[in-house]
Amino acid sequence: MRPAHALIDLDALRHNYRFAKSLSKSRAFAVVKANAYGHGAVECAQALADDADAFAVACIEEALQLRAAGIRQPILLLEGWFEASELPLIVEHQLWSVVHHHGQVQELLAAQLGTPLHIWLKLDSGMHRVGFSPAEYAGLWQQLERSQNVASLASMTHFSRADEPETGRTEEQLATFQRVTRDLKGPTSLCNSPGVLAWPQAHGDWLRPGIMLYGATPFEFEQEHAARLKPVMQLQSKVIAVRELPAGEPIGYGSRFITQRPTRVGVVAMGYADGYPRHATDGTPVLVDGQRSQIIGRVSMDMLTLDLTDLPQSGLGSNVRLWGEGLNASEVASHAGTIAYQLFCNLNRVPRRFISSTSSFST
């Protein structure tokens, strides 16, 4: 069998959720949207079922997948519903929903539901993506508060630059949120992963840890709390061929890399069809038998090449870790002009193997 696979450490996932909770007295949504950032939503949710206060997903399809897998905690739809026809399903499966635009408000007020919904009203405090303006927010809150279709109301917003603490933008957004919601009674939720890690004054009643659950830092600098996260995914494969090349020889498509010395080249069963970034530059770090090496040459669909010259003990069959323990995905992402979020979400074709202290299995 082809050796490429992603090893998912569910104990590390539980550690990261519990660590997020330890930073605050708040409750926390475990954000498992986009197939748990590529890690496997059902398996991750089941692993967190004894710990998580609630879960959060992007859309109803993701929520129904969790309900079918036996997840009973509240599940928040972060983008709400896309069509009014979803409202009966939201009622049936006891989902919570964000409301972030006027169309959703009107559909909710006009619906005949029978059972009222738990609604999280989104404030645009400065991200300017979705949500209601500060000027209209209180009026909409009061309108929904009077509706028989609303069981409870909570306020939420989203920080645009919580991972850049020196900019002042998060302080501005927090001040706006506090001013607008000061007289509104209900739970609050403001913090994504960088907010959880770096902005304790903004924690509110509910945290929304996402990328930090999977052990990747949202920061481009060393951060004390982020340093305590454990990587959940190990993307791994093996060396499947070794070439000895003299100086001056090109490697791979486009001849991007030219050997500067006699070079021992390892070929690895991993490529962009697996989700490894095609734009990874020469010098992108990898681990070979636990030792650091680097990519040389352009990443192909099914293979990539790396430098084994200074690793004489490594060769055919050597273990290769593309990211994970000892090599944070954020470092790899920086060499490919992207972010760890995209690396994880782009994972494709490679099987996932789940491990924990209680069991191990594959999908």
Side-chain angles (χ1 to χ4, degrees), residues 256 276 280-286 293-297 299 304-306:
R256 185 181 74 183
Y276 194 84
T281 58
D282 296 328
T284 299
V286 297
S293 182
Q294 61 182 1
I295 286 177
I296 50 177
V299 175
L304 56 80
T305 45
L306 50 79

Side-chain angles (χ1 to χ4, degrees), residues 102-309:
H102 288 281
Q104 289 174 333
V105 171
Q106 296 309 313
E107 288 167 347
L108 178 58
L109 293 176
Q112 297 181 357
L113 299 180
T115 301
L117 299 180
H118 297 281
I119 297 298
W120 291 75
L121 192 64
K122 188 76 169 278
L123 172 69
D124 179 8
S125 62
M127 177 94 173
H128 300 323
R129 187 174 60 180
V130 296
F132 299 100
S133 71
E136 64 186 341
Y137 190 84
L140 289 166
W141 178 284
Q142 293 162 5
Q143 189 177 9
L144 291 173
E145 198 171 37
R146 293 191 296 267
S147 172
Q148 63 181 2
N149 286 334
V150 177
S152 67
L153 273 174
S155 53
M156 69 184 305
T157 195
H158 195 79
F159 292 140
S160 60
R161 304 186 73 178
D163 57 333
E164 301 172 278
E166 74 286 352
T167 65
R169 186 57 171 164
T170 301
E171 289 94 337
E172 293 172 2
Q173 287 192 252
L174 177 58
T176 296
F177 183 87
Q178 291 173 333
R179 172 177 57 82
V180 172
T181 64
R182 181 173 53 242
D183 298 324
L184 305 179
K185 305 295 184 183
T188 60
S189 179
L190 300 88
C191 285
N192 51 8
S193 289
V196 173
L197 292 165
W199 296 92
Q201 67 271 42
H203 280 174
D205 298 303
W206 284 84
L207 310 174
R208 303 193 305 274
I211 193 68
M212 68 175 292
L213 291 184
Y214 309 102
T217 176
F219 303 104
E220 293 184 357
F221 55 88
E222 292 293 324
Q223 204 268 349
E224 59 171 326
H225 293 320
R228 295 178 60 184
L229 300 172
K230 294 183 178 181
V232 175
M233 180 188 294
Q234 322 285 338
L235 185 63
Q236 302 183 152
S237 191
K238 291 182 180 292
V239 174
I240 60 170
V242 178
R243 304 294 305 277
E244 303 275 355
L245 297 177
E249 288 296 315
I251 296 175
Y253 286 117
S255 301
R256 185 181 74 183
F257 183 86
I258 308 295
T259 58
Q260 301 299 304
R261 59 176 179 168
T263 302
R264 194 162 167 261
V265 181
V267 181
V268 180
M270 177 66 63
Y272 61 76
D274 303 299
Y276 194 84
R278 180 178 181 271
H279 297 294
T281 58
D282 296 328
T284 299
V286 297
L287 298 180
V288 183
D289 295 330
Q291 303 298 309
R292 285 178 77 97
S293 182
Q294 61 182 1
I295 286 177
I296 50 177
R298 186 173 293 166
V299 175
S300 303
M301 181 180 290
D302 310 303
M303 293 176 281
L304 56 80
T305 45
L306 50 79
D307 192 347
L308 294 178
T309 309

Side-chain angles (χ1 to χ4, degrees), residues 311-335:
L311 300 175
Q313 303 305 313
S314 297
L316 190 65
S318 284
N319 294 311
V320 177
R321 179 166 294 168
L322 289 308
W323 61 68
E325 186 72 33
L327 179 58
N328 197 286
S330 297
E331 181 182 358
V332 177
S334 69
H335 286 266

Side-chain angles (χ1 to χ4, degrees), residues 4-26:
H5 66 278
L7 192 67
I8 309 298
D9 185 345
L10 299 175
D11 290 332
L13 177 73
R14 284 185 281 262
H15 163 85
N16 295 336
Y17 179 83
R18 292 166 184 166
F19 178 61
K21 292 266 292 185
S22 76
L23 297 174
S24 174
K25 295 181 179 179
S26 308

